[in-house]
Amino acid sequence: MPHISRRPVETMARFGYGARGVVYGLVGGLALLAAIGSGGQTGGSRNALQTLLTQPFGKVWLVLIALGLFGFCAWRILEALTDADNRGSDMKGWAIRGAHLVSGFIYAGLALFALNLALGRSSGGGGEDQAARDWTAWLMSQPFGQWLVGLVGLAVAGTGLAFIVKAWRGRVADRLSLPAEKRHWICTIGRMGFAARGVVFLMIGGFVGLAALHASSSEVRGLGGAMEALQRQPYGWVLLALTALGLFAFGLFGLIQARYRRIDAPDLDDAKAAVAQMGR
């Protein structure tokens, strides 16, 4: 298959990493402003996109972000189904690929939210916290619902721990093709980003675990709720500022991934076959 058949998938993936980076940069920047008392907010991704709507050319930016997030969703799904990143078929490989598959659908939801917001079809609803409570309540109503919610909480918290370990070990640039002179500062940015993201995931997983323990979906918090909880702690503004800086750093790292990540994209025939197999 000619190399050109890989190019659309690679372009889609790079556009997706960039869009995700922009979203995290917005979340981190707004939270940092809230921490230092200069306006801003501690909301999650949806709140950040709503804020962007009020800016000049806000609808244009939202459409571009939505397209990028749809691309990221498609890349995550293809990556998981075709093992484009060579994660392998052992337990760890399947766990990573499964997590990427789930994240693909999550970003598809965020992309739809951004697109509807740009087209004036959505006022934002109850935000991420309410959306998290809604799906928790639905899952809780299923057979063995409390156990299922508890497993989700463990999975989210485990992902957070994995991010923290990755930041601690400094293995954030393993899949980047970096110039030697840029490697040190890019790794520093990546470690800050993964550490902050890990802390937030740990907190979200903890809230989901409490919801399972108390059989109450009202315990659940999303990204914005986790940062609000940080802000309410002693010296909360410091904790929030540090976390916000880390999330902003992860946003910058997303833009770096868009430029330097190694993407061994499947060709279009392989991608179509993977999607067709998923639909069976």
Side-chain angles (χ1 to χ4, degrees):
M1 179 65 64
H3 178 72
I4 192 171
S5 66
R6 295 171 177 262
R7 185 65 61 184
V9 179
E10 179 181 343
T11 301
M12 175 183 70
R14 295 194 186 282
F15 191 24
Y17 278 110
R20 185 180 69 162
V22 170
V23 172
Y24 267 96
L26 285 171
V27 171
L30 289 169
L32 182 59
L33 290 175
I36 62 177
S38 297
Q41 60 183 15
T42 55
S45 303
R46 294 190 178 194
N47 296 91
L49 292 175
Q50 286 178 279
T51 301
L52 185 60
L53 181 63
T54 63
Q55 305 305 308
F57 305 105
K59 291 185 178 181
V60 176
W61 283 112
L62 283 172
V63 170
L64 291 174
I65 289 172
L67 292 175
L69 292 176
F70 278 126
F72 190 72
C73 159
W75 164 244
R76 279 300 204 214
I77 293 173
L78 291 176
E79 181 187 26
L81 295 179
T82 65
D83 196 19
D85 264 345
N86 298 312
R87 302 287 183 176
S89 298
D90 57 6
M91 185 176 296
K92 180 180 178 182
W94 279 113
I96 294 174
R97 291 166 65 182
H100 286 178
L101 187 65
V102 172
S103 75
F105 289 109
I106 290 173
Y107 281 107
L110 186 60
L112 281 172
F113 176 85
L115 187 59
N116 284 330
L117 202 59
L119 298 177
R121 297 175 182 172
S122 172
S123 60
E128 287 179 349
D129 284 358
Q130 187 58 52
R133 292 178 189 127
D134 289 343
W135 73 255
T136 303
W138 174 83
L139 192 59
M140 199 90 70
S141 68
Q142 307 305 308
F144 306 103
Q146 278 184 258
W147 289 99
L148 293 174
V149 172
L151 288 174
V152 171
L154 285 175
V156 175
T159 302
L161 281 174
F163 288 154
I164 291 173
V165 170
K166 188 172 185 176
W168 177 262
R169 292 179 176 175
R171 299 183 61 182
V172 297
D174 289 353
R175 297 183 181 275
L176 303 183
S177 298
L178 298 174
E181 67 276 9
K182 297 180 179 179
R183 189 172 187 86
H184 177 72
W185 66 264
I186 286 177
C187 285
T188 300
I189 289 173
R191 293 178 76 173
M192 289 174 57
F194 274 98
R197 202 170 177 225
V199 169
V200 170
F201 269 60
L202 267 177
M203 294 183 67
I204 294 172
F207 286 127
V208 175
L210 286 174
L213 184 63
H214 300 150
S216 172
S217 62
S218 63
E219 301 273 5
V220 176
R221 303 287 186 275
L223 176 57
M227 289 193 292
E228 287 177 3
L230 276 176
Q231 195 174 24
R232 289 195 296 267
Q233 304 307 307
Y235 300 100
W237 73 271
V238 177
L239 296 174
L240 179 61
L242 290 173
T243 304
L245 278 172
L247 293 176
F248 186 79
F250 189 78
L252 290 178
F253 192 70
L255 299 179
I256 292 167
Q257 286 177 304
R259 171 64 177 86
Y260 291 111
R261 197 184 194 281
R262 290 191 299 272
I263 297 176
D264 188 14
D267 62 33
L268 292 182
D269 289 340
D270 290 342
K272 291 176 183 176
V275 172
Q277 185 175 4
M278 183 179 65
R280 290 177 183 175

